[in-house]
């Protein structure tokens, strides 16, 4: 974090400063900020966030013992550390992020890129960060730090020397992206797609459009909107960008895109395509599996080239990326039995993309096996969307459909109703039962997709299978 005095910290979060140890209001703090006391070190700021399971205030003393310079609290705590008392620590965290990024902008040449979309945010963030990190100091979220806590924690990692801040914005309801992105007013807004992910929280696809368009609405006037030309709902955000005086850089696979992919080919070792941008066409050999990740790469290239990075440099750096993120199309196992663990997140769109990738990378004499769990946060649309996945798996010719968990059972029922009989489709209530079955069922030449939302827990089943068949 950039250096601030305790008095400046308290002022930024509208808090009451209670000094501890030998501190004065002019004591300077420049350490990291975190809500996890186990990650606190000397000079850091501990945010005592109340939670559903425990309360961060219980760990203030531990953070102090680890060397914390100050704690953000909602009530004073008996601990040998300076404390700033605020009404709500999550609100205070956001206020502090706004102040720190504002000061970093004033101190240097900071460019802020915001990314949102129903799918692909984390992969696109990682790809763009890989391109930019060799251009200058780049701050990007760890894992999927994209919510009301994770996004500000990422913002607070900027320093006066940070050249690029890449922020990922997720949301579980209307207004959340506007609040988070409004803290930093991105110079570049990337919108990947508008799909059914979290539709239950938003209230339908049109409400999801409104929520995702919030990023464009709060990004810097006169900035840049990087929009998916292939998604009609994203394309419909163009008038919003125009109202804010933002230029538009389109990405997609259609002829009208500014950054375009042609000749996409998916294999078990990666995905290749021809990328055209700014009058040049070059081949990209992406190690990440799946045609859908080409779109994420296009978005990253569109933003990076707008920031002045040559296309050839973008491609060179993207080709060094071996894995988008753990549990996202992660290859495990061996050439004998290949496990693709993609069970960190799932939506109807990402489920369909993963199933199509499984079908595409499976060669003659090999067998497709899909281990599928529930998609969360779909609300009233959950039943029909799980039905659609079961139907798609059958139509793609997936040879073994293994459905895990009662919340996903409609996938199994739909697959059976569509003709997957004689153990072609099978259901297990628990991951342990599925694991035992798969240990005896999988054979040489199998290509296995493990796909579910995080809450279903199948990512750990994927890890176990990967280890067993390594």
């Amino acid at each position: 974090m950039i250096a601030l005095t305790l008095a400046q910290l308290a002022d930024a979060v509208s808090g009451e400063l209670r000094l501890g140890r030998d501190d004065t209001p002019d004591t300077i703090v420049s350490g990291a900020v975190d809500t996890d006391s186990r990650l606190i070190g000397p000079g850091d700021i501990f945010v005592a966030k109340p939670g559903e399971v425990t309360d961060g205030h219980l760990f203030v003393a531990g953070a102090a013992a680890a060397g914390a310079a100050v704690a953000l609290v909602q009530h004073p705590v008996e601990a040998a550390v300076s404390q700033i008392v605020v009404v709500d620590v999550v609100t205070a965290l956001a206020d502090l992020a706004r102040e720190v990024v504002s000061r970093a902008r004033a101190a240097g040449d900071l460019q802020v890129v915001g990314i949102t979309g129903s799918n692909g945010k984390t992969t696109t963030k990682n790809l763009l960060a890989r391109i930019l990190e060799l251009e200058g100091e780049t701050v990007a979220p760890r894992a999927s730090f994209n919510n009301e806590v994770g996004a500000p924690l990422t913002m607070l990692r900027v320093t006066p020397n940070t050249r690029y801040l890449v922020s990922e914005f997720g949301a579980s309801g209307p207004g959340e992206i506007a609040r988070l992105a409004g803290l930093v007013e991105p110079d570049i807004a990337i919108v990947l797609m508008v799909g059914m992910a979290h539709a239950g929280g938003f209230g339908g696809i049109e409400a999801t459009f409104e929520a995702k368009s919030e990023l464009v609405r709060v990004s810097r006037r006169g900035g840049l909107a990087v929009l998916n030309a292939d998604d009609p709902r994203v394309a419909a955000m163009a008038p919003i960008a125009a109202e804010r005086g933002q230029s538009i850089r389109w990405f997609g696979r259609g002829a009208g895109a500014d950054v375009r992919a042609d000749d996409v080919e998916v294999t078990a070792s990666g995905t290749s395509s021809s990328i055209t941008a700014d009058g040049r066409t070059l081949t990209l050999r992406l190690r990440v599996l799946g045609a859908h990740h080409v779109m994420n790469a296009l978005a990253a290239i569109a933003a990076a080239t707008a920031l002045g990075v040559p296309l050839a440099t973008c491609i060179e750096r993207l080709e060094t990326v071996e894995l988008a993120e753990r549990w996202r199309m992660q290859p495990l196992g061996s050439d004998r039995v290949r496990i693709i663990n993609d069970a960190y997140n799932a939506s109807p769109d990402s489920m369909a993309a993963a199933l199509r990738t499984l079908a595409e990378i499976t060669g003659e004499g090999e067998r497709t096996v899909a281990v599928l769990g529930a998609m969360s946060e779909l609300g009233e649309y959950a039943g029909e969307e799980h039905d659609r996945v079961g139907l798609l798996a059958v139509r793609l010719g997936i040879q073994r459909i293994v459905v895990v968990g009662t919340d996903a059972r409609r996938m199994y029922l739909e697959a059976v109703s569509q003709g997957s009989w004689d153990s072609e489709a099978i259901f297990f209530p628990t991951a342990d039962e599925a694991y035992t079955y798969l240990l005896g069922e999988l054979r040489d030449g199998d290509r296995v997709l493990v796909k579910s939302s995080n809450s279903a827990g199948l990512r750990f089943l994927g890890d176990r299978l990967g280890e067993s068949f390594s």
Side-chain angles (χ1 to χ4, degrees):
M1 192 187 77
I2 67 172
L4 295 173
T5 66
L6 286 174
Q8 289 171 329
L9 274 170
D11 184 61
V13 300
S14 301
E16 175 193 351
L17 176 60
R18 298 196 172 202
L19 295 171
R21 298 177 181 150
D22 299 322
D23 290 338
T24 73
D26 294 325
T27 297
I28 294 175
V29 179
S30 61
V33 184
D34 216 298
T35 58
D36 188 338
S37 62
R38 296 168 296 183
L39 301 179
I40 294 296
D44 290 348
I45 301 171
F46 176 58
V47 180
K49 177 182 174 292
E52 295 180 3
V53 177
T54 188
D55 186 344
H57 292 80
L58 299 174
F59 303 97
V60 172
V70 62
L72 279 181
V73 297
Q74 291 180 188
H75 57 78
V77 177
E78 287 293 328
V81 64
S82 291
Q83 298 170 42
I84 298 175
V85 184
V86 297
V87 174
D88 182 276
V89 294
V90 174
T91 300
L93 188 65
D95 291 339
L96 182 57
R98 181 190 291 109
E99 178 71 12
V100 164
V101 172
S102 176
R103 287 173 177 263
R105 280 189 185 275
D109 188 26
L110 178 65
Q111 293 284 303
V112 181
V113 181
I115 304 171
T116 195
S118 298
N119 300 110
K121 295 183 293 296
T122 299
T123 299
T124 303
K125 171 261 299 185
N126 288 339
L127 296 178
L128 181 57
R130 178 61 61 90
I131 295 172
L132 296 178
E133 62 191 7
L134 295 179
E135 299 294 311
E137 182 179 299
T138 299
V139 171
R142 305 182 184 99
S144 292
F145 271 33
N146 61 23
N147 62 10
E148 62 179 0
V149 174
L153 286 177
T154 298
M155 298 168 189
L156 288 165
R157 288 166 47 209
V158 302
T159 73
N161 297 321
T162 302
R163 187 170 176 188
Y164 304 108
L165 168 62
V166 181
S167 288
E168 175 185 343
F169 298 112
S172 56
E176 192 169 349
I177 292 173
R179 286 193 298 274
L180 295 175
L183 300 175
V184 293
E185 296 184 348
D187 301 283
I188 298 177
I190 300 176
V191 185
L192 299 169
M193 66 177 299
V194 176
M196 289 297 293
H198 313 297
F202 291 119
I205 194 70
E206 294 307 322
T208 303
F209 162 82
E210 292 295 333
K212 299 305 180 184
S213 69
E214 290 171 10
L215 178 59
V216 180
R217 296 178 194 277
V218 302
S219 289
R220 189 169 292 269
R221 289 188 177 276
L224 174 69
V226 175
L227 303 179
N228 182 348
D230 296 350
D231 186 320
R233 290 186 174 89
V234 176
M237 297 179 192
I240 301 171
E243 289 173 6
R244 297 189 61 78
Q246 298 166 358
S247 56
I248 299 174
R249 193 157 171 81
W250 298 100
F251 68 93
R253 296 179 62 175
D258 299 303
V259 181
R260 186 180 77 248
D262 296 298
D263 304 320
V264 177
E265 182 180 358
V266 180
T267 69
S269 59
T271 310
S272 66
S273 57
S274 296
I275 307 297
T276 299
D278 302 322
R280 295 198 67 189
T281 299
L282 298 172
T283 299
L284 169 65
R285 295 178 178 85
L286 197 62
R287 300 190 202 182
V288 183
L289 296 177
H292 52 299
H293 287 308
V294 171
M295 292 296 289
N296 300 329
L298 289 177
I301 291 169
T305 51
L307 289 167
V309 184
L311 175 61
T313 302
C314 292
I315 287 177
E316 178 184 344
R317 293 172 185 173
L318 289 177
E319 290 185 338
T320 68
V321 177
E322 297 182 3
L323 179 66
E325 186 85 30
R326 186 183 180 191
W327 299 317
R328 288 178 169 86
M329 298 302 288
Q330 181 180 5
L332 299 171
S334 64
D335 289 339
R336 185 172 64 88
V337 177
R338 174 62 65 201
I339 311 295
I340 304 168
N341 195 352
D342 192 30
Y344 188 82
N345 273 323
S347 69
D349 294 306
S350 69
M351 190 74 82
L355 284 169
R356 290 190 180 100
T357 299
L358 175 65
E360 288 172 333
I361 68 171
T362 303
E364 186 176 349
E366 299 173 342
R367 185 174 64 157
T368 50
V369 180
V371 183
L372 308 176
M375 302 176 288
S376 62
E377 300 183 63
L378 291 175
E380 64 183 287
Y381 307 98
E384 63 187 81
E385 293 301 333
H386 283 84
D387 289 347
R388 290 177 196 270
V389 172
L391 172 61
L392 178 62
V394 174
R395 289 188 174 174
L396 288 172
I398 305 301
Q399 292 155 283
R400 285 288 184 275
I401 302 169
V402 182
V403 178
V404 185
T406 55
D407 290 344
R409 192 165 185 265
R410 283 186 61 158
M411 290 183 192
Y412 161 73
L413 295 175
E414 181 67 16
V416 171
S417 72
Q418 294 296 326
S420 285
W421 306 324
D422 299 327
S423 298
E424 290 178 1
I426 190 167
F427 170 77
F428 295 101
T430 70
D432 285 342
E433 291 171 282
Y435 175 71
T436 300
Y437 164 79
L438 289 164
L439 281 184
E441 172 67 19
L442 296 182
R443 65 195 191 202
D444 287 3
D446 282 352
R447 299 296 175 253
V448 185
L449 169 70
V450 182
K451 180 70 174 171
S452 74
S453 285
N454 197 343
S455 59
L458 294 198
R459 62 196 186 280
F460 303 119
L461 172 60
D463 286 344
R464 292 174 70 188
L465 292 171
E467 183 176 349
S468 296
F469 291 97
S470 62

